[in-house]
Amino acid sequence: HAIDQHEHLGIFNETMLRRSQYGHTLETQLQGAAQRQELSLMYQPISDVDTGRWIAVEALLRWQHPQLGAVPPSTFIPVAERSGQIYQLGDWALQTALRETQAARALWPEAHVNVNVSPVQLLMPDYAERVLQTLADLQVPPQLLTVEVTESSVMQDVDLACRHLRKLRDAGVRVALDDFGSGHSSLSLLTELPLDTVKLDRSFLREGAQATARGALLRNTIRLARDLHLSTVAEGVEDAAMLARLSDLGCDYAQGYHISRPDHLEDLLSLRR
Ligand code: C2E
Ligand code: CA
Ligand code: CA
Ligand code: CA
């Protein structure tokens, strides 16, 4: 939990990884990781709270290094963001997610994929054009894709982010605000950004101290999203009780270990609901 919060604030990443030998090793080893086929994507389904039907999958990067083992994205993505490697990594993730999801449509015709976008990518002046060009190059309909942006990535340059997101939405790409409620979330952001979906951070569902206050926040955030015609996805749904509660609160979709752990797309297709 402590690490989780620090990650959001960037404290853990900045101070512990920057000058460390491990951070340097990761940066060196990340070079060419895609060509050496050490990178892959795992996919986690997002399901309709009431019917259980899967509406999309989220693509999640994995890096399996021969000596270092599995390096988690929360460790190597900040390194890549600092070194600039995130541009290539982000391109690789987008292209791979689109190719694999397009291929999965043979078995799952309405397959839809969510791809995470780094704040660094969103600051590129031509970010939206590049995404649309990738879709065109791969001959993938824009409606297949949702980009997930975080509040902090949008806040770096709200005007630029809005231009990118508007351009993407005009072309048919959907936009989700990720990890909402994890940091110093401002409700006004929901009215200002061109969004389709709000992903409610899993901290909303945490048990223990302040669970009642978090529950009230969750209920009211779902209500506000509905008034703004935004769909809601609850993240980190780990048991049936949480799912039932989300249904009562009017949350649209759910993602979490209770529905499925992230898995290879082929394996998910046979389990699909
Ligand atoms: P995220 O976008 O919030 O992704 C959800 C994370 O929650 C994933 O961790 C997922 O495995 C985990 N998760 C899913 N269900 C549950 C649950 O029921 N309980 C708990 N405790 N955790 C659950 P993962 O795969 O380790 O990814 C961590 C973060 O790394 C992601 O958080 C995202 O911010 C980043 N990331 C992953 N792939 C990419 C990528 O392609 N590009 C960028 N820029 N960031 C990525
Ligand atoms: Ca995400
Ligand atoms: Ca999230
Ligand atoms: Ca998160």
Side-chain angles (χ1 to χ4, degrees):
H1 175 192
I3 300 258
D4 209 17
Q5 272 187 350
H6 285 166
E7 272 179 7
H8 282 297
L9 297 172
I11 293 168
F12 172 74
N13 300 321
E14 297 290 321
T15 59
M16 294 183 78
L17 275 178
R18 185 168 45 201
R19 283 178 232 92
S20 76
Q21 184 58 44
Y22 188 55
H24 183 70
T25 302
L26 289 181
E27 183 180 330
T28 309
Q29 293 302 310
L30 202 49
Q31 207 61 47
Q35 289 87 324
R36 294 191 305 273
Q37 317 215 322
E38 293 167 10
L39 298 180
S40 63
L41 291 177
M42 293 288 252
Y43 294 85
Q44 189 177 34
I46 299 169
S47 72
D48 187 300
V49 162
D50 296 313
T51 66
R53 282 188 73 85
W54 296 3
I55 57 127
V57 286
E58 177 178 1
L60 296 162
L61 261 173
R62 295 292 178 261
W63 180 20
Q64 183 68 37
H65 185 273
Q67 278 84 44
L68 301 170
V71 185
S74 54
T75 302
F76 72 79
I77 285 171
V79 171
E81 286 173 337
R82 268 194 308 282
S83 66
Q85 290 163 308
I86 191 68
Y87 299 116
Q88 277 173 294
L89 211 56
D91 286 347
W92 184 89
L94 177 65
Q95 289 170 23
T96 306
L98 292 175
R99 272 201 205 96
E100 293 184 346
T101 306
Q102 181 80 318
R105 284 198 154 190
L107 286 167
W108 180 11
E110 62 278 31
H112 187 99
V113 71
N114 287 31
V115 174
N116 290 287
V117 179
S118 156
V120 179
Q121 292 175 278
L122 212 56
L123 285 173
M124 286 193 287
D126 60 345
Y127 169 71
E129 281 93 350
R130 289 170 59 112
V131 171
L132 297 179
Q133 189 59 52
T134 303
L135 287 159
D137 290 346
L138 298 177
Q139 297 185 290
V140 172
Q143 290 74 13
L144 188 109
L145 176 67
T146 294
V147 293
E148 295 195 2
V149 300
T150 59
E151 182 167 31
S152 55
S153 69
V154 168
M155 295 312 282
Q156 308 230 358
D157 186 339
V158 180
D159 291 341
L160 180 63
C162 282
R163 279 203 300 280
H164 286 325
L165 301 182
R166 232 176 268 124
K167 196 168 282 179
L168 290 172
R169 290 186 78 223
D170 286 346
V173 174
R174 277 175 267 177
V175 176
L177 188 61
D178 201 0
D179 301 337
F180 188 77
S182 64
H184 309 274
S185 297
S186 76
L187 292 175
S188 64
L189 205 60
L190 296 184
T191 67
E192 286 158 20
L193 293 176
L195 297 174
D196 298 277
T197 301
V198 186
K199 296 191 76 174
L200 306 163
D201 192 75
R202 63 184 165 87
S203 57
F204 271 120
L205 298 179
R206 204 176 290 138
E207 308 278 329
Q210 272 138 53
T212 314
R214 276 194 299 269
L217 271 175
L218 178 64
R219 184 177 334 109
N220 285 289
T221 307
I222 291 170
R223 195 175 291 160
L224 175 65
R226 164 168 297 180
D227 288 347
L228 297 171
H229 306 288
L230 301 170
S231 66
T232 44
V233 178
E235 305 192 273
V237 178
E238 295 184 348
D239 56 53
M242 282 184 187
L243 196 60
R245 203 169 126 231
L246 289 165
S247 174
D248 289 343
L249 294 176
C251 182
D252 301 308
Y253 306 109
Q255 181 179 357
Y257 298 161
H258 176 65
I259 291 120
S260 169
R261 299 228 167 209
D263 202 346
H264 300 283
L265 193 52
E266 315 88 85
D267 295 335
L268 286 175
L269 289 175
S270 58
L271 301 169
R272 179 169 68 92
R273 293 202 47 203

